[in-house]
Amino acid sequence: MQTGALEGVRVIEWAEGIAGPFAGRILAGLGAEVVKVEPPGGGDASRRAGPFRGDVPDREASGLFLYLNAGKRGITLDPARPGGREVFGKLLAGADVLVLDKPAPALRRWRLGLPGLQRRHPGLVVASVTPFGLEGPYAGFKASDLVTFHMAGLGFITPRLPPSPDLPPLRAGTPIVGYLAGLNGAAAIGCALLVRELSGRGQLIDLAEMECAMFAVAAGVPAYTYEPRVPSRQPAGPPAVAPIALLPTADGYFEVQCQEEEHWDGLVGALGEPEWARWEVFADKGLRGQNWDALRPLLEEVTRTVEKARLFREAQARGVPLAPVNSPRDVVECEHLRVRGFFETVEHPVAGPVLMPGALAQLTATPWRALGPAPLLGQHTTEVLEGLGYSKAELLALRQRGAV
Amino acid sequence: MTPTGASPQRRRRRGGLRPLAGYRVIDITYGWAGPICGALLADMGAEVIKIESNARLDTCRFLPPFNGPGPNRGGQFNTYNRGKKSCTINLKAPPGIALARRLIASADVVVENFAPRVMPGLGLGYDVLRTLNPDLVMASLSGFGATGPYRDYVAFGLPLQAFLGLVHLTGYAGGPPVNVGTPIPDIVGGTTGALMIVAALRHRRRTGEGQFIDVSQCEAMGAFFAGPYLDYALNGREGQRRGNRDDAMAPHGVYRCADPEGWCAVAVAGDQEFAALCRVIGRPELVDDARFADQPSRWRHQDELEPIIEAWTRQRSKREVFLALQAAGVAAGPVHHIPDLLADPHLKQRGTFIQDSHPEIGPNPMLGPFWRLQSTPGRVERPAPLLGEHNGYVFQELLGLAPEEQQRLEASQVLW
């Protein structure tokens, strides 16, 4: 039987929202066993985030929560409380990895400071995922995806080619920074596990969401130091290469990235060889860039008459990097993704069948695991604590103290 | 045809402390996604050898920003190929394929990001390579994946933003769809590749088994849009563009500040934060205003609330706004551009940027390794390689060619 690449890895996830839980989801998909620790009462904040079927809020049926936490076991536990801290310690004693998103000052206040934690659990990989990292003047600052996106420098260059000048910096239409951090967190944890297998020692990983997102703007640094130019939403001049653009069709928009001459030739073919396409002023990618203001309206006049799905087919048949501007419906119903089995239906006891993205990648020897449903709030508390050796009476006492 | 480099096991024992020390990665990539994958592995200690050729140069060697002419001064290339070695093998010449196979036989990992038909067409498909190197881990990064109806489709980062729905969702209220300013699916595809390679190396270490990894950039990045996809699956909704606003939080936007091109982002999650915001901007009475009494009311009256906040932010620099709001417990942050990031005190204290010392360009700052493993930290061992900079090392030391043999192959454009 095939196993996961991270088979046998035991993860405790004490994290909410997107970043930490997305890291946990990836580890679970790769075969790790993940126990999610949620605050007693309301649970993970993403239980309140939705989307909910019919917009009816239900902490057991938030789409975002169901996706991010699929396949984990869930317990309610407040490690900051007496009793809770002890349970947490026992959990960690049997774990390989801790994913956590609490700021360092709060951990110290709860007597869960990281140096002590590492001393008590020298083999544990402790992956801290926070907006700004554990150290530095902004370490305790509050953030949201909007804030980290703009602070990382992504907003200053978004949108690429704004519809009119003087529009403000813009965020991505859906949160991406938390996901970036979760993805990088899972990769960093994988590296720490490799080290641990040789040395037997765990270590602390200090991941900052902002730094992870900055990797996406890193090529802007040489723009500033080589040229020098401050990359912004407004192009400094005509594009170096064209066409790289969003253009209208009869039924929406498409995007094309003609990086090479062969791409342009293919696009011209897909558009039925308009004669202006062979004018001297558009003879190579640089000239098309310099003369983009003249080229764009000519292109649009033709593209407005075609449908995006047809153009996608015709252009791709000619090797052109071109794609339609899809809506979420177009993506969910995409034939290619259906054949690849990307979306999967997860059966959940409260939410029923829920369609969600599945594997992040396809590994032949260690396939991504089909993840079961996300846990109900506290669903596995009894099971997990009994596994740690707590009796029914001790469990009751912990519940009465609000620790679980 | 025996590879002459030390076996991976021997190299590993000699290696340093970094997590991937001792692993050799052959990087046959171009553009962003593939190179990024290799660069992240190099940060973590792998020896990453890029195979390039004048017969088909990495596009990014000739994409701006430039610091001068030639293949070694492209900023995109130098950013996303840091830490690697470069050798020039012409894969369009049959003897080049033989050399590439020998090099791969000496390695642990191959990463490539051609369209899925290209490597098999060159005789470098996984089925062939695994016979030379049975425990090889091979990651193939492509736009749409190695199987399925679109497997031969070409995709770059910007069209993939469109394909996945990100463009549809991004834009000003009532305006057209727009791109996020950087080809984010390439970043995500490359990072996912690195993650999967690390996981596969753990499996290999325990079982001796290598494998083929099929990374579809589309699926790696598609994971990020679970929220909008689920909203369609659950409610048939297609999402809409609403600028910087959120579905629930309000106020939630960027506000103009006094400095030129200065903006500050503010995101208010609850009543407590809103009361703090009102105190800081000198309008404590707003908490008693029925229009702003709770989150749903504030959300409905954003158009009225935003100018009130902006009247205050316009009088101050983005940094003053940021620090004043954070001191009161409100999530806020300046909209940074590159020079802001380079000068930022928090990033300075964290050492986020390191000094790159490229032989043709000289010292310049670069984002350092950000998977911050405290006991075994990443390191950028060398700047992005000059084209063919490590030919001598690769062909003579690793593959055991005599110098004259290398010269002969260079003259016949096999090594070119």
Side-chain angles (χ1 to χ4, degrees):
Chain A
M1 197 195 119
Q2 286 181 315
T3 61
L6 298 185
E7 200 71 24
V9 174
R10 296 155 304 174
V11 180
I12 305 298
E13 172 192 304
W14 185 27
E16 300 185 43
I18 294 175
F22 188 53
R25 177 186 157 88
I26 295 170
L27 300 175
L30 291 172
E33 183 193 303
V34 181
V35 174
K36 183 176 179 69
V37 173
E38 294 188 75
D44 186 327
S46 67
R47 288 185 180 275
R48 298 180 283 284
F52 300 103
R53 202 188 298 272
D55 293 328
V56 180
D58 177 345
R59 73 180 187 193
E60 300 300 356
S62 155
L64 190 65
F65 181 85
L66 296 180
Y67 169 71
L68 290 168
N69 299 290
K72 301 174 187 173
R73 290 196 295 163
I75 68 169
T76 52
L77 174 70
D78 184 354
R81 284 189 187 238
R85 191 157 40 238
E86 187 193 318
V87 177
F88 191 58
K90 285 195 182 168
L91 268 177
L92 296 184
D96 304 300
V97 177
L98 169 64
V99 177
L100 94 168
D101 62 358
K102 314 299 173 220
L107 289 170
R108 279 194 295 273
R109 206 162 55 242
W110 300 329
R111 295 198 283 127
L112 287 166
L114 292 174
L117 208 115
Q118 287 181 276
R119 237 185 349 266
R120 289 192 297 280
H121 307 283
L124 189 68
V125 172
V126 180
S128 161
V129 186
T130 59
F132 305 110
L134 289 168
E135 284 168 18
Y138 310 161
F141 281 10
K142 273 200 185 156
S144 72
D145 207 86
L146 177 81
V147 167
T148 43
F149 182 88
H150 285 295
M151 283 183 79
L154 281 157
F156 198 77
I157 56 169
T158 299
R160 181 183 183 274
L161 308 177
S164 62
D166 292 327
L167 287 166
L170 183 71
R171 69 177 291 201
T174 180
I176 60 172
V177 177
Y179 288 97
L180 276 172
L183 178 65
N184 282 285
I189 289 167
C191 286
L193 286 171
L194 282 177
V195 172
R196 181 183 188 265
E197 286 188 355
L198 294 183
S199 70
R201 299 196 64 80
Q203 61 178 308
L204 176 64
I205 302 169
D206 173 16
L207 211 76
E209 293 186 41
M210 180 180 167
E211 289 176 346
C212 293
M214 281 170 60
F215 195 46
V217 301
V221 176
Y224 181 65
T225 57
Y226 289 11
E227 291 196 352
R229 168 174 67 84
V230 178
S232 80
R233 308 180 286 298
Q234 289 300 340
V241 171
I244 299 177
L246 283 160
L247 294 164
T249 59
D251 56 347
Y253 297 86
F254 72 98
E255 179 144 36
V256 68
Q257 189 168 353
C258 289
Q259 211 77 59
E260 311 288 350
E261 295 307 324
E262 71 215 44
H263 302 149
W264 169 247
D265 293 340
L267 179 65
V268 171
L271 293 174
E273 302 281 346
E275 67 74 37
W276 48 259
R278 299 304 172 194
W279 291 352
E280 200 55 36
V281 288
F282 305 138
D284 66 41
K285 56 187 175 187
L287 281 168
R288 288 190 294 278
Q290 282 168 35
N291 298 306
W292 175 236
D293 286 343
L295 177 56
R296 182 179 188 121
L298 290 168
L299 263 173
E300 286 192 1
E301 201 185 313
V302 182
T303 61
R304 272 183 208 284
T305 64
V306 292
E307 285 172 354
K308 60 183 184 180
R310 209 192 100 211
L311 185 57
F312 181 40
R313 264 196 323 274
E314 301 271 321
Q316 286 287 356
R318 294 168 169 83
V320 184
L322 180 149
V325 171
N326 281 336
S327 71
R329 175 209 294 265
D330 297 325
V331 181
V332 172
E333 295 180 352
C334 168
E335 172 67 5
H336 172 76
L337 295 175
R338 195 190 60 71
V339 170
R340 298 256 308 165
F342 177 57
F343 286 100
E344 56 189 29
T345 300
V346 177
E347 199 57 57
H348 186 271
V350 174
V354 181
L355 189 76
M356 58 179 74
L360 224 59
Q362 298 191 3
L363 296 93
T364 49
T366 56
W368 180 272
R369 193 155 64 92
L371 297 169
L376 304 175
L377 185 60
Q379 185 180 347
H380 305 95
T381 306
T382 307
E383 173 187 318
V384 169
L385 265 68
E386 283 182 357
L388 294 176
Y390 285 91
S391 70
K392 288 211 157 51
E394 287 170 316
L395 244 166
L396 186 66
L398 283 166
R399 282 189 203 284
Q400 281 164 348
R401 289 157 77 183
V404 306
Chain B
M1 295 284 278
T2 319
T4 52
S7 76
Q9 285 71 25
R10 272 214 316 284
R11 276 186 276 121
R12 192 166 312 123
R13 278 198 298 276
R14 280 209 312 267
L17 276 171
R18 286 186 293 167
L20 301 181
Y23 286 116
R24 180 176 297 151
V25 177
I26 306 304
D27 173 323
I28 316 177
T29 69
Y30 69 108
W32 277 38
I36 281 168
C37 177
L40 290 168
L41 299 173
D43 280 3
M44 289 294 116
E47 179 188 50
V48 180
I49 300 174
K50 188 171 173 103
I51 296 182
E52 311 180 74
S53 169
N54 282 292
R56 195 192 194 291
L57 280 172
D58 185 334
T59 351
C60 284
R61 283 200 178 271
F62 290 100
L63 285 179
F66 301 114
N67 132 304
N72 301 319
R73 294 166 181 254
Q76 296 187 39
F77 182 89
N78 288 347
T79 299
Y80 292 129
N81 290 279
R82 86 248 196 112
K84 301 182 188 175
K85 294 170 181 165
S86 162
C87 68
T88 48
I89 302 180
N90 182 357
L91 297 177
K92 290 177 178 164
I97 297 294
L99 283 168
R101 285 183 181 163
R102 284 175 61 190
L103 191 55
I104 289 166
S106 83
D108 305 283
V109 176
V110 171
V111 54
E112 60 92 10
N113 70 326
F114 293 108
R117 64 179 177 278
V118 173
M119 290 290 276
L122 290 171
L124 295 173
Y126 176 66
D127 287 345
V128 172
L129 298 180
R130 72 184 301 185
T131 62
L132 308 172
N133 186 346
D135 62 359
L136 183 72
V137 171
M138 178 167 178
S140 180
L141 278 56
S142 59
F144 292 98
T147 62
Y150 296 174
R151 66 184 175 277
D152 290 327
Y153 281 19
V154 198
F156 292 150
L158 291 172
L160 273 177
Q161 282 191 17
F163 185 84
L164 288 168
L166 178 61
V167 168
H168 171 87
L169 295 165
T170 303
Y172 303 97
V178 296
N179 279 114
V180 172
T182 176
I184 197 90
D186 285 324
I187 303 276
V188 172
T191 308
T192 302
L195 157 69
M196 296 303 161
I197 288 167
V198 169
L201 287 173
R202 177 189 188 260
H203 177 74
R204 192 182 86 162
R205 199 182 271 177
R206 295 163 76 88
T207 64
E209 184 181 34
Q211 61 181 311
F212 177 74
I213 303 167
D214 171 16
V215 178
S216 154
Q217 270 173 252
C218 187
E219 291 163 11
M221 183 95 218
F224 285 42
F225 307 127
Y229 298 160
L230 275 153
D231 202 18
Y232 172 70
L234 294 171
N235 296 312
R237 258 200 294 268
E238 303 241 38
Q240 52 178 305
R241 298 182 281 279
R242 42 171 66 131
N244 284 295
R245 289 182 178 179
D246 183 60
D247 290 342
M249 281 188 261
H252 191 274
V254 299
Y255 301 94
R256 209 181 267 277
C257 301
D259 26 18
E261 287 288 302
W263 305 80
C264 189
V266 181
V268 172
D271 294 344
Q272 208 183 328
E273 281 93 338
F274 182 65
L277 170 73
C278 295
R279 276 197 308 278
V280 173
I281 69 171
R283 299 291 301 273
E285 76 283 2
L286 291 179
V287 294
D288 300 319
D289 189 320
R291 293 173 299 168
F292 312 132
D294 55 25
Q295 187 160 290
S297 311
R298 291 192 288 276
W299 197 87
R300 279 194 303 278
H301 296 102
Q302 287 178 86
D303 288 341
E304 294 142 78
L305 190 49
E306 287 175 347
I308 300 175
I309 299 168
E310 199 157 81
W312 180 80
T313 61
R314 271 179 180 280
Q315 310 300 315
R316 287 154 185 86
S317 74
K318 59 188 174 188
R319 192 158 172 83
E320 285 174 88
V321 169
F322 161 54
L323 294 175
L325 289 174
Q326 284 285 358
V330 178
V335 177
H336 283 142
H337 50 48
I338 295 292
D340 285 335
L341 292 170
L342 290 169
D344 185 83
H346 179 76
L347 300 177
K348 278 208 167 133
Q349 186 172 325
R350 287 178 65 78
T352 301
F353 290 100
I354 55 172
Q355 265 312 310
D356 182 39
S357 52
H358 189 279
E360 290 193 10
I361 293 159
N364 65 97
M366 168 184 275
L367 182 71
F370 49 94
W371 299 352
R372 292 174 177 270
L373 280 68
Q374 304 230 315
S375 310
T376 58
R379 192 168 67 239
V380 178
E381 200 142 277
R382 52 172 54 79
L386 309 177
L387 182 62
E389 183 181 347
H390 303 92
N391 278 358
Y393 164 73
V394 170
F395 300 126
Q396 294 172 37
E397 257 186 73
L398 296 187
L399 299 185
L401 299 187
E404 315 77 68
E405 174 75 351
Q406 185 183 330
Q407 281 162 18
R408 195 181 59 74
L409 290 169
E410 281 167 357
S412 57
Q413 297 199 336
V414 171
L415 305 184
W416 180 54

